[in-house]
Amino acid sequence: MENYSLKFEADTASGEQTLRFHEKSVSGALEFAKESARGDWAELYRNEKLICRMRLVSETGVWLVGGMEPKD
């Protein structure tokens, strides 16, 4: 199992939130992220290294995935 974290951008009510969890693969991490999505954009990290920025754009689990460019 690898260490993952999912960092959600701050919103006006709760601020930035980070969830830490363990999964066997990126695919498992994305499934966890789909179940936990809170907000617009999130960053997915594996072992403290940024994998991608992403946004859940559909309740069916469709992700808009970006690279490691700076935030808008």
Side-chain angles (χ1 to χ4, degrees), residues 6 9 30 33-34 37 39-44 51-69 72:
L6 189 61
E9 290 187 357
L30 289 171
K34 182 176 78 171
D40 199 22
W41 284 93
E43 294 176 339
L44 180 63
I51 296 174
C52 65
R53 293 186 67 234
M54 59 193 187
R55 177 179 171 201
L56 189 62
V57 293
S58 170
E59 290 182 15
T60 61
V62 176
W63 290 102
L64 173 63
V65 177
M68 296 186 293
E69 302 89 26
D72 304 332

Side-chain angles (χ1 to χ4, degrees), residues 12-23:
T12 55
S14 60
E16 187 175 272
Q17 297 180 358
T18 301
L19 300 175
R20 299 184 196 299
F21 56 99
H22 301 283
E23 283 293 339

